[in-house]
Amino acid sequence: MDTQNLSRRGLMLVLSSPSGAGKSSIARALLKADSNLVSSVSGTTRAPRPGETEGIDYYFVTVQQFEKMKSASEFLENARVFDNFYGTPRAHVEKKLSAGKDVLFDIDWQGTQQLRENARDDLVSIFIFPPSLDELERRLRGRAQDPDDVVRKRMARASDEMSHWPEYDYIVVNRDIDKSISQVQTILAAERMKRARQIGLGDFVKGMRGA
Ligand code: 5GP
């Protein structure tokens, strides 16, 4: 019998990686292919990059606005990354999860640690590696959106970020973007089938057994 339509508890799918490992491309492809997956949109104090849209890529806020949201406990998690502050607004995520949607997060290891502490059962975390450090640098330079000193800083931080891989549930090495997308989709499909997430299962089985 088909159990696809049973009510399900939404999960939080976290993708972390050093900047330039291909995480954003993977996230975009997942969202496009899956209407049950929605993106969390973070608040940040960093300036928008060319092509970034307010409310889609980020909510761009001032340090004062960020601090105010933080003290009002409006963030599910927050962290300082490089010289900027980032945080996940709580309300949107909680609304989507309770509607049975899965929420995708592009956050760093600090934010993932906070989610793990607060919502372990709902969290599925994936760390994405670039195929090599040389390739990572090539990708960062290829993007050509950040000035040289920013690229250097990110390269220096990449190995620091990568040291947190043992804290994640799954590891994907992004050698081929299509393969990586399908690997993440496989993880998501399996995690959705977990017994604890299929909250309609009890009634379904009861009905089948005529109890
Ligand atoms: P970027 O400035 O390149 O968009 O992001 C820099 C880093 O900040 C990335 O590793 C990204 O995953 C992380 N990041 C983006 N939004 C959030 C957030 O809301 N919380 C945390 N903890 N990290 C974030």
Side-chain angles (χ1 to χ4, degrees), residues 3-4 21 36 59 118 133 141-143 157 184 186 204 207:
T3 58
Q4 288 299 323
N36 212 46
Y59 296 107
N118 300 327
L133 214 55
R141 295 203 177 278
R143 219 156 61 170
R157 290 234 17 192
V184 174
T186 303
F204 170 73

Side-chain angles (χ1 to χ4, degrees), residues 26-153:
I26 295 173
R28 257 196 311 276
L30 290 177
L31 291 164
K32 200 171 161 201
D34 191 333
S35 61
N36 212 46
L37 185 68
V38 297
S39 180
S40 162
V41 181
S42 299
T44 182
T45 59
R46 86 151 160 73
R49 296 198 186 108
E52 285 184 332
T53 309
E54 164 75 16
I56 303 237
D57 298 292
Y58 280 107
Y59 296 107
F60 297 98
V61 297
T62 63
V63 174
Q64 288 81 356
Q65 284 168 323
F66 190 93
E67 291 299 340
K68 205 170 150 203
M69 289 176 77
K70 190 172 158 184
S71 26
S73 297
E74 285 178 30
F75 291 126
L76 204 53
E77 61 72 36
N78 69 92
R80 183 184 177 142
V81 185
F82 309 118
D83 296 326
N84 298 300
F85 297 105
Y86 295 83
T88 301
R90 179 191 296 280
H92 173 74
V93 173
E94 288 179 348
K95 193 171 136 209
K96 293 298 175 185
L97 286 178
S98 56
K101 295 274 184 196
D102 301 315
V103 183
L104 181 68
F105 297 76
D106 172 345
I107 60 175
D108 80 331
W109 63 271
Q110 303 174 79
T112 311
Q113 277 187 354
Q114 292 169 44
L115 293 187
R116 195 176 301 113
E117 278 158 27
N118 300 327
R120 182 69 195 98
D121 291 348
D122 294 333
L123 184 71
V124 177
S125 60
I126 307 178
F127 196 90
I128 297 161
F129 275 101
S132 68
L133 214 55
D134 281 352
E135 176 61 17
L136 181 68
E137 181 161 4
R138 204 187 61 74
R139 289 182 191 174
L140 276 179
R141 295 203 177 278
R143 219 156 61 170
Q145 286 178 357
D146 294 310
D148 253 19
D149 63 322
V150 173
V151 174
R152 265 198 302 278
K153 237 187 203 169

